[in-house]
Amino acid sequence: MEIDSVQLGSINSFAVRTVRFTECIAEAHRLGHGPGPHARPWSLDFQRRAAPVYAEAFPAAYRRGIADASKLVANYMANYMEGATVPEPTATEWSIITEFLHTTSKALSEASDVASLNPEAGRASISGTLPAVLRYELFAELLNVQGVTLLQSAAMAVVSFCQANLPATPNAIELEWIISLANRVPVEELAERYNLSARNMYRRLESMWKHLGVGSQVQGVALAVQHGWIALPPTSGQESADQENERG
């Protein structure tokens, strides 16, 4: 089976976010939260216990968007496995992330407030304003260290495979920057979030665009959408946001 670059870009994006997810849980473990009893974060039992943590931070429409997008990307991954596109050394890790996304989707979709929504509401929500930050310490109290390590290793293997078969891709932090910029977050506000000066933030963004082979924020966001790294925001106007946010 020939690899579709858009689908592989979406897989890479979810794997990158999974690495970030595990890093935050590992940090919560280091700060004294947990560890919990679960060693298989890709199991449906864990995901059902984790669903209330998502519900605490995310509105139903956003959870519907996560569920639908996770299912779609899991299906992409399953199709690649069936086509024997994934090399044997990565197959086990690929299966873990596929299952992690499948069970994430299933557990989130079981909530009545999520199940009652149509897919359009979910797509609009995950492309809109970013919701509150997850309480990773609650995941840390559910998962043990081995489970977090296994999930992180699997996600990193998937990222390595994807990036070996794709042009330049953003890392986890850069992906967060692109998502924020696509949602018209001012660069100055983005700098504050990451404890950077505005000048330093502009410099880092310029370096990122150069690494991705584009010349501006508009082109960068368009590239991210084109390759499936992010969803298209529900409203237009990114060009005007670019003009407001970029200097010179």
Side-chain angles (χ1 to χ4, degrees):
M1 179 185 295
E2 185 177 350
I3 293 177
D4 181 297
S5 63
V6 174
Q7 293 183 8
L8 199 60
S10 295
I11 293 169
N12 179 71
S13 177
F14 270 75
V16 165
R17 295 179 197 186
T18 302
V19 172
R20 182 69 169 159
F21 176 74
T22 58
E23 288 174 344
C24 291
I25 297 173
E27 178 63 19
H29 279 156
R30 286 191 289 271
L31 292 174
H33 299 283
H38 289 274
R40 294 169 57 87
W42 54 91
S43 70
L44 185 57
D45 180 51
F46 164 75
Q47 295 285 14
R48 283 172 171 160
R49 294 177 185 275
V53 182
Y54 290 105
E56 181 181 315
F58 299 157
Y62 197 86
R63 284 179 280 133
R64 177 59 196 259
I66 295 174
D68 291 345
S70 296
K71 182 178 180 179
L72 179 65
V73 174
N75 288 339
Y76 290 162
M77 297 185 73
N79 289 339
Y80 286 143
M81 284 291 290
E82 290 175 5
T85 304
V86 181
E88 187 59 36
T90 310
T92 299
E93 290 85 356
W94 194 275
S95 296
I96 286 174
I97 300 304
T98 302
E99 187 64 16
F100 178 72
L101 295 177
H102 267 309
T103 55
T104 297
S105 176
K106 183 172 177 59
L108 292 178
S109 298
E110 288 175 346
S112 58
D113 59 345
V114 173
S116 64
L117 296 173
N118 64 55
E120 295 301 323
R123 278 193 289 270
S125 184
I126 63 171
S127 299
T129 304
L130 297 175
V133 176
L134 282 168
R135 293 183 60 191
Y136 291 100
E137 71 274 14
L138 299 181
F139 290 108
E141 291 167 3
L142 291 172
L143 284 170
N144 64 29
V145 173
Q146 181 185 18
V148 175
T149 300
L150 286 172
L151 183 62
Q152 184 176 84
S153 296
M156 290 175 69
V158 172
V159 169
S160 295
F161 172 83
C162 291
Q163 295 187 352
N165 290 278
L166 284 170
T169 56
N171 61 33
I173 297 297
E174 290 171 341
L175 190 61
E176 292 176 5
W177 293 348
I178 296 172
I179 292 170
S180 296
L181 293 170
N183 285 284
R184 299 189 294 280
V185 173
V187 173
E188 289 77 10
E189 181 178 331
L190 195 60
E192 289 182 12
R193 290 183 186 179
Y194 291 90
N195 296 315
L196 299 170
S197 68
R199 182 186 296 273
N200 195 340
M201 188 77 245
Y202 279 107
R203 209 162 29 231
R204 292 188 182 210
L205 290 174
E206 182 180 359
S207 176
M208 177 180 70
W209 300 137
K210 187 177 299 184
H211 169 69
L212 296 177
V214 297
S216 70
Q217 179 176 311
V218 169
Q219 294 174 358
V221 170
L223 181 73
V225 173
Q226 177 186 347
H227 286 294
W229 303 335
I230 67 171
L232 184 66
T235 56
S236 59
Q238 180 58 42
E239 185 171 357
S240 62
D242 177 66
Q243 293 171 350
E244 292 176 6
N245 287 338
E246 289 195 357
R247 292 178 177 172

